[in-house]
């Protein structure tokens, strides 16, 4: 990403990034565990509970805020 484009992004100092995990319930749970083992997330509490994805029938989701 170019520096000029980065300067145009509307980020505030206190803003956190999010990682959305969407897929089957088993796949989402596997990814949560993988993120924890690889230390992308320091605690499983950082993930939202696994819920049905409102925009993808039959899929589930969880969000990691960093």
């Amino acid at each position: 990403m170019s520096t000029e484009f980065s300067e145009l992004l509307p980020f505030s100092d206190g803003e956190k990034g999010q990682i959305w995990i969407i897929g089957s319930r088993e796949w989402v749970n596997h990814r949560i565990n993988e993120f924890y083992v690889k230390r992308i997330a320091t605690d499983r509490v950082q993930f939202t509970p696994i819920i049905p994805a409102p925009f993808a029938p039959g899929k589930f989701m969880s969000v990691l805020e960093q």
Side-chain angles (χ1 to χ4, degrees):
M1 184 182 309
S2 71
T3 305
E4 295 83 20
F5 184 70
S6 295
E7 292 171 357
L8 295 174
L9 293 173
F11 288 115
S12 65
D13 292 334
E15 193 169 341
K16 297 181 179 181
Q18 294 181 342
I19 299 173
W20 289 44
I21 306 170
I22 303 166
S24 69
R25 180 181 288 277
E26 294 79 20
W27 192 83
V28 171
N29 193 38
H30 174 75
R31 289 310 234 175
I32 290 172
N33 291 334
E34 185 178 359
F35 281 23
Y36 177 71
V37 169
K38 290 184 177 181
R39 299 187 188 268
I40 295 170
T42 56
D43 194 350
R44 288 183 178 92
V45 174
Q46 294 175 287
F47 292 92
T48 62
I50 298 173
I51 60 169
F55 47 81
K59 300 291 182 181
F60 293 85
M61 65 179 278
S62 181
V63 178
L64 167 64
E65 274 200 19
Q66 293 185 316

